[in-house]
Amino acid sequence: MKNYLAVLGLSVILVGCGSAKPKADDLAVNNPIETALDLTAVVDDKVPVTINPGRFTTETVTYRLPRVVQGTYSVSDFGKYIEGMKALDYKGNELEVTKVDTNTWTIADATNLDKLTYYVNDTFDIESTGGIGGENPFSPAGTNIEEDNYVLNLHGFIGYFDSLKNNQYALDVTAPATFVRTSALEDRGMKSSADGKSITSSYFAQRYFEITDNPMMYGKLDVEEFMVGDIKIVLSVFSPNKVHTAASQKETVYKMMQAQKKYLGEINSTARYDIYLYLSDGSDTAPKGMGALEHHTSTVVVLPESSSKEGLAASIIDVVAHEFFHIVTPLSVHSEDVHYFDYNKPTFSKHLWMYEGVTEYFAQHFQVYEGLIEPTDFYNTIMTKIATSKNLDDAMSFTVMSENVLEEPYAHNYYNVYMKGALIGMCIDILMRKESDGNRSMLSLMKELSAKYGKEKPFDDDKIIAEITEMTYPSVGEFLKTHVEGDVPINYNQFFEMVGLTMGETDVPTNYIFAGGQNIIFDGDPNKGIFFSPMALQNSFWASQGVQAGDIIKKVNGKDLTLENAQQVIGGMYGWQEGQEYSLDLERNGEAVVLKGTLGKATAKSESLVEDENATEAQKALRQAWLKG
């Protein structure tokens, strides 16, 4: 996930409708759990769901919606969105249902249970912030039920019986015939209704994990399918106001994934990859959390519709590249906590530095390695991550934080997996290249781990650092022991020196909401609203436009800016690109001031990494190996 961000129970035996009791190893094959969503029968913005598990032989069974889903590292409580839970026997009579907690129901007289029915509310409509750790699920993990769009993160609609998570699932989704539908689940065909107004699509999943791991999008979508090497890419875009199309971003995605495939080489492990892009228009019922949630062969992405074409492309590269690299870890390299995930009471791996940190490092490093960006851009990204990480707890054991990520003070420091976690990946990468004269790297280590473990073989959480040490060098083991398991802050200058980099002041490219690094140029006050801070004068573009500290921003491109919608509107400004038109309505000392024109280049004076003029040939060679191979 990038913020952009997962199995045990009662002893219940599922038997078939016939008189013969199936063998235990035949249960999943012979008795898929039949599930159905009917998007043509929505009532008060709620989707009806039917679950037919087959026949039980115990008197009581337990049904759950996930409390936590993989990749989010926060509590989502999808049971909150379930209404009207009913258990029906084979004669259509209601059985007793007891709600045990937010996500759990028990059904009495379960030997007579035929099916469950209930309604599901969506999460987008009621989001306040949409961020990780909020009251509602992180937006890309959430659900949407609209007349023209359905974001079907299936973990929000379909639950599981404690004992049947490894059973197969058959899923029918009925929707208007005019809808475009995209899903990577195994397609078992479509059937039209008698009147031709609706179509039921049938899908199949080998186990509950595949239900949670394969989101869908239905509605008035714009879809582009294309090949990148031997990978089929399916880009599904929903832009409420038709501002963006899949075709307009196709080239960006193609070039990005082509470079990623080249970077990964033989480690690539998927034949199809789906990108479900929902563009939020900032309305009251639109999602508020920008970012993405990874799945093994897909990602759900939420970004601002107000972004320019160029700004959206930049966000897609930043966000989707990260999610695609998750095919390395945790898809190919993961611990038992990930492999045997408990959606109700999960335990978490100690190694978020690997799952999220190394993934984020790859998402940045491949861009310079494959020539998509210049080294100076990469250096600036590194410096931004260092500055951000130091605003969090820099003296916290990463393994302890990871293992306790739902609890404070660790939950508050989760964002550091994308900052210091990526820097950990960078340091190991430099160390391995130095120790091997440029022949081994962080990526080659992940390839070795992938070959040793792979999708179906988890590693032992407590042993993996010792294994990595044995597979690499004592210096790598000492680094992990000191700075990952231990709580000693990293002296990054030691690593920069290895590759002939030093610190120096330079004009650093920035965007239109920062002044170098992540020094945001706005401030807020309940009485005044959003206004320019003194930091704005350090942004070359805004300084050239004559803004003054204290200028209150009333409108951005004609849209009112308030404390309530600041995340959406300013998030849109983050995607602004040089050359596009803009307008700001300001209030300065009680008088109206209007700024408008064309966005120019924005820079800020900042201390950043520069290439040391006195670097040795050995340092230059290591830098070359690190940045260009």
Side-chain angles (χ1 to χ4, degrees), residues 248-482:
S248 70
Q249 295 298 327
K250 177 180 177 180
E251 184 178 3
T252 293
V253 174
Y254 177 82
K255 288 181 177 179
M256 174 188 72
M257 303 202 89
Q258 188 178 47
Q260 288 184 280
K261 267 188 63 64
K262 183 180 177 183
Y263 182 80
L264 288 174
E266 70 275 10
I267 202 172
N268 166 53
S269 59
T270 182
R272 170 174 170 157
Y273 196 83
D274 280 78
I275 302 167
Y276 305 97
L277 176 58
Y278 185 103
L279 297 174
S280 174
D281 63 5
S283 61
D284 290 343
T285 57
K288 308 298 189 297
M290 303 298 107
L293 177 66
E294 85 271 9
H295 297 275
H296 277 29
T297 58
S298 65
T299 183
V300 178
V301 188
V302 179
L303 293 171
E305 190 182 40
S306 58
S307 299
S308 67
K309 176 184 175 181
E310 296 79 10
L312 182 61
S315 295
I316 287 173
I317 291 173
D318 183 45
V319 175
V320 178
H322 174 100
E323 306 307 331
F324 181 74
F325 276 124
H326 275 300
I327 69 172
V328 180
T329 182
L331 174 55
S332 297
V333 184
H334 57 259
S335 73
E336 294 169 337
D337 301 84
V338 174
H339 198 76
Y340 305 109
F341 190 79
D342 187 328
Y343 299 89
N344 184 45
K345 293 182 179 179
T347 57
F348 289 96
S349 170
K350 297 176 180 179
H351 302 295
L352 278 175
W353 68 272
M354 180 190 295
Y355 305 139
E356 295 294 346
V358 170
T359 298
E360 174 63 8
Y361 174 66
F362 288 160
Q364 303 303 324
H365 184 252
F366 97 97
Q367 296 183 55
V368 67
Y369 199 82
E370 298 298 335
L372 300 183
I373 61 173
E374 294 299 319
T376 52
D377 298 319
F378 181 60
Y379 302 155
N380 292 333
T381 297
I382 291 170
M383 292 305 299
T384 297
K385 289 187 180 298
I386 291 174
T388 305
S389 71
K390 291 185 181 301
N391 288 328
L392 296 161
D393 190 340
D394 196 34
M396 175 181 281
S397 164
F398 233 74
T399 53
V400 172
M401 182 268 283
S402 298
E403 196 171 28
N404 299 280
V405 70
L406 294 188
E407 310 297 330
E408 293 296 353
Y410 309 106
H412 180 72
N413 283 273
Y414 168 75
Y415 189 59
N416 218 8
V417 301
Y418 305 111
M419 303 297 130
K420 189 173 182 178
L423 297 167
I424 288 169
M426 176 194 74
C427 293
I428 296 173
D429 195 18
I430 292 172
L431 272 178
M432 289 195 63
R433 293 176 191 274
K434 185 174 188 295
E435 294 278 14
S436 65
D437 293 327
N439 294 313
R440 299 182 71 194
S441 64
M442 185 75 246
L443 182 59
S444 71
L445 171 60
M446 295 309 298
K447 289 179 180 181
E448 292 170 32
L449 287 169
S450 179
K452 182 175 183 178
Y453 290 101
K455 294 181 183 180
E456 302 304 326
K457 182 182 177 182
F459 61 73
D460 187 321
D461 218 49
D462 293 328
K463 296 179 180 178
I464 192 63
I465 285 181
E467 288 187 50
I468 289 173
T469 302
E470 186 176 346
M471 293 169 67
T472 58
Y473 308 98
S475 61
V476 173
E478 185 62 27
F479 175 85
L480 289 168
K481 180 179 178 181
T482 304

Side-chain angles (χ1 to χ4, degrees), residues 229-242:
D230 56 355
I231 301 180
K232 180 180 181 180
I233 307 298
V234 183
L235 173 62
S236 304
V237 176
F238 178 69
S239 182
N241 300 298
K242 311 302 180 186

Side-chain angles (χ1 to χ4, degrees), residues 522 528-532 542 551-563 565 569-570 573 576 582-587 592-596:
F522 308 110
K528 293 172 61 178
I530 305 296
F531 54 90
F532 279 111
W542 291 119
D551 283 351
I552 301 170
I553 308 171
K554 308 300 286 187
K555 293 185 178 182
V556 176
N557 289 340
K559 183 178 181 64
D560 290 339
L561 175 62
T562 66
L563 290 172
N565 71 0
V569 177
I570 293 176
M573 292 177 68
W576 283 5
Y582 85 97
S583 68
L584 292 186
D585 288 27
L586 308 177
E587 180 184 315
V593 175
V594 177
L595 299 179
K596 60 178 168 179

Side-chain angles (χ1 to χ4, degrees), residues 72 122 185 225 478 621:
T72 57
D122 63 342
L185 262 182
E225 298 184 4
E478 185 62 27

Side-chain angles (χ1 to χ4, degrees), residues 617-629:
E617 291 304 312
Q619 289 171 316
K620 291 177 183 178
L622 184 56
R623 186 200 309 153
Q624 174 70 16
W626 176 42
L627 298 182
K628 296 296 179 182

